[in-house]
Amino acid sequence: MTSKDQTKVMNKGFTIIRADLFRLAIKFKDKNNLHWKIYEGDFESKAAVERRMKELLKQSDFIED
């Protein structure tokens, strides 16, 4: 997804999330935060990050980059 695409999606009210497996965190962007910020962090493992991402993506206003 390009930056332009992300802006369009965020302006429609969606939150974009991305797994940061190096830092064991989930990053996000939304219409109020145009740069990647930590949404949740300090996970114990990559699997824990991925499980939480799955949970968040069940909500209708979250999409994955």
Side-chain angles (χ1 to χ4, degrees), residues 29-34 37:
K29 278 185 175 183
D30 62 18
K31 64 182 177 183
N32 298 318
N33 297 294
L34 302 178
K37 297 192 182 225

Side-chain angles (χ1 to χ4, degrees), residues 41-54:
D42 297 327
F43 289 95
E44 292 183 13
S45 66
K46 291 178 183 180
V49 173
E50 292 168 356
R51 281 192 300 271
R52 181 63 178 141
M53 286 281 292
K54 259 186 169 176

Side-chain angles (χ1 to χ4, degrees), residues 7-59:
T7 301
K8 288 179 186 178
V9 168
M10 292 183 299
N11 286 337
K12 294 290 183 182
F14 289 93
T15 299
I16 302 170
I17 58 174
R18 171 188 285 177
D20 183 340
L21 298 177
F22 179 74
R23 291 188 178 95
L24 296 178
I26 297 173
K27 294 182 176 182
F28 80 104
K29 278 185 175 183
D30 62 18
K31 64 182 177 183
N32 298 318
N33 297 294
L34 302 178
H35 301 286
W36 291 107
K37 297 192 182 225
I38 300 291
Y39 185 75
E40 292 182 20
D42 297 327
F43 289 95
E44 292 183 13
S45 66
K46 291 178 183 180
V49 173
E50 292 168 356
R51 281 192 300 271
R52 181 63 178 141
M53 286 281 292
K54 259 186 169 176
E55 290 175 14
L56 290 171
L57 291 170
K58 289 179 183 176
Q59 298 178 36

